[in-house]
Amino acid sequence: MKSLTINASQRESVGKKATKALRNAGQVPCVVYGGDTIIHFAAPEIAFKNLVYTPDVNTVVIALDNGTKVNAILQDIQFHPVTDKILHIDFVEIFDDKPITMEIPFKTTGNARGVRAGGVLRFNLRRIKVKGLAAKLPDVIEGDITELKIGNKLYVTDLANEDYTILHPDNTVVCQVKTSRNAVAEEEEEEAAAEA
């Protein structure tokens, strides 16, 4: 899994006034949980561009101005309801020996037989929630849909991997091939022609 580095400065004052002053200066107040101590820090909003505005999942190395480096993953993010500016970000510290929970993007491989026959591929999940050690989690989870015919479904059990545990129920559908309106219309025309 790819890792991004964010250069940040640790913040001492964490009240409303200090937070507002940070935001006015173009900084985003952040916090890291999960370790021995909670770390409050701030970084320029542009530093989070490649972390927030991407479909990819990344781990983060937070390089603080005191020389400390913290490995973490993004847990939660708050945006301004009108301007969409980042208001606050929560991170969770990650360790080599502790499993973490993340949502990994799902991507299909192959060309479904049902789609070639006129069906439509519909996604029920775009991201799959998994639990595992950070070092073993993939950037993307791939599912082969080559054999899916119209009406067939790809379940989370088809994506099982020994490196991580999928946290969805076994009967959760990831994607399926459905009949398109065109395919239905063509079938009805063929039936009408056969009857005539």
Side-chain angles (χ1 to χ4, degrees):
M1 186 174 287
K2 285 188 278 242
S3 184
L4 297 174
T5 301
I6 291 173
N7 296 311
S9 50
Q10 199 158 354
R11 56 192 178 112
E12 304 304 321
S13 44
V14 290
K16 275 187 180 175
K17 253 186 182 174
T19 304
K20 192 173 183 182
L22 272 175
R23 289 192 186 118
N24 289 341
Q27 300 273 318
V28 177
C30 305
V31 65
V32 179
Y33 300 103
D36 299 331
T37 56
I38 293 173
I39 302 166
H40 295 273
F41 69 95
E45 187 171 2
I46 196 157
F48 301 104
K49 179 182 70 169
N50 293 336
L51 177 67
V52 177
Y53 305 108
T54 176
D56 301 331
V57 178
N58 298 298
T59 56
V60 182
V61 176
I62 300 159
L64 297 170
D65 51 4
N66 63 5
T68 311
K69 288 192 174 182
V70 180
N71 289 323
I73 56 165
L74 191 143
Q75 179 74 23
D76 189 32
I77 187 163
Q78 293 166 350
F79 293 98
H80 189 283
V82 178
T83 63
D84 264 353
K85 279 177 76 79
I86 300 171
L87 292 179
H88 189 271
I89 302 180
D90 290 348
F91 291 93
V92 174
E93 192 170 346
I94 55 176
F95 301 93
D96 293 339
D97 57 344
K98 279 190 188 170
I100 56 170
T101 301
M102 279 187 97
E103 287 193 342
I104 309 274
F106 170 71
K107 189 176 131 193
T108 59
T109 59
N111 193 349
R113 289 169 65 179
V115 172
R116 290 196 306 265
V120 178
L121 184 66
R122 298 249 188 260
F123 286 89
N124 292 25
L125 291 178
R126 292 280 184 182
R127 287 174 168 259
I128 295 170
K129 198 171 189 179
V130 299
K131 185 175 186 175
L133 296 175
K136 292 194 171 187
L137 292 182
D139 290 329
V140 66
I141 293 174
E142 294 186 339
D144 186 10
I145 57 166
T146 310
E147 294 303 315
L148 292 185
K149 298 176 188 167
I150 291 177
N152 288 12
K153 299 172 181 175
L154 184 78
Y155 293 93
V156 288
T157 48
D158 300 325
L159 308 173
N161 190 303
E162 58 191 36
D163 288 342
Y164 50 82
T165 308
I166 295 178
L167 300 178
H168 295 280
D170 287 350
N171 62 350
T172 304
V173 175
V174 183
C175 63
Q176 57 190 318
V177 179
K178 289 194 159 186
T179 308
S180 71
R181 288 190 181 134
N182 292 346
V184 171
E186 285 171 17
E187 279 176 27
E188 286 172 357
E189 282 172 18
E190 283 172 15
E191 283 171 16
E195 287 170 10

